[in-house]
Amino acid sequence: MASTASLSNAMVSTSFVCRQPVTSLRSLPNFRQALFGLKAQRGGRLTMAAYKVKLIIPGETHEFECPDNEYVLDRAEDLGIDLPYSCRAGACSSCAGKVIEGSVNQSDGSFLDDEMIADGFVLTCVAFPTSDVVIATHKEDEMA
C-alpha cells in the first residue's frame, strides 16, 4: 500500500515571506555594508576600507595595506611575508601577536580570553584591521 503525504492539514509558517516586494536595494537598511562589505563615501561613492598594517617581525618590519574584510595573516601571505600559523581558525596560539597601536576585530577567534585581548594579544589568522595598526608578531611564548 502506498501512502501519500498531504499538507492540507499541516500548519505552514510564512513569517519568512516578504510581504512587501523589494523594488530597490536602497530600501534595505545598510545593504551595501551588510552584503558587500562596502562603505559609502561622500557623493554616493562606495569603497572598501583599507588600513595600513605594520608588522614588527623579529629582525624585520613590513608595512602594507589590508582591506577591512581580509585577515592580516592572509594579506601578509599574499605579499610573501612569512608568519607562523597552525589552525587558521583562531583556536590556537601559533599566530599570536601583540597590538602595539591601533585596533583589530578578531571576533572569529575562540582561543583568546577577554584578559588576553585586553593585554593586546591578537591572533593574526582571524584579525581584521579596523584602523591603522602596528602588530608585533611571534608572541606565542609571551602568552603563558
Side-chain angles (χ1 to χ4, degrees):
M1 233 191 255
S3 64
T4 305
S6 172
L7 289 179
S8 62
N9 294 329
M11 290 184 64
V12 178
S13 173
T14 58
S15 62
F16 63 90
V17 177
C18 185
R19 300 207 185 337
Q20 300 275 333
V22 175
T23 57
S24 168
L25 288 177
R26 291 181 189 268
S27 65
L28 300 173
N30 299 324
F31 84 92
R32 290 179 188 96
Q33 190 169 0
L35 295 178
F36 308 112
L38 302 174
K39 296 182 179 175
Q41 295 278 325
R42 288 182 78 175
R45 276 187 321 172
L46 296 176
T47 59
M48 186 164 286
Y51 299 103
K52 184 171 26 168
V53 174
K54 181 177 183 179
L55 298 179
I56 302 171
I57 299 170
E60 56 189 292
T61 301
H62 296 277
E63 288 188 40
F64 55 89
E65 292 283 319
C66 185
D68 65 352
N69 68 340
E70 188 171 2
Y71 294 131
V72 171
L73 176 64
D74 291 342
R75 184 70 178 138
E77 279 189 323
D78 289 347
L79 298 171
I81 301 168
D82 190 30
L83 292 176
Y85 67 88
S86 182
C87 73
R88 300 188 77 93
C92 73
S93 61
S94 296
C95 66
K98 201 158 191 183
V99 174
I100 307 300
E101 284 181 30
S103 60
V104 296
N105 172 355
Q106 55 184 333
S107 60
D108 290 346
S110 61
F111 182 80
L112 298 179
D113 62 27
D114 291 340
E115 186 177 326
M116 291 176 180
I117 293 171
D119 287 342
F121 286 103
V122 60
L123 301 177
T124 59
C125 71
V126 292
F128 295 113
T130 56
S131 72
D132 291 346
V133 65
V134 177
I135 300 173
T137 64
H138 297 75
K139 297 296 182 183
E140 181 177 25
D141 294 338
E142 293 181 20
M143 296 179 73

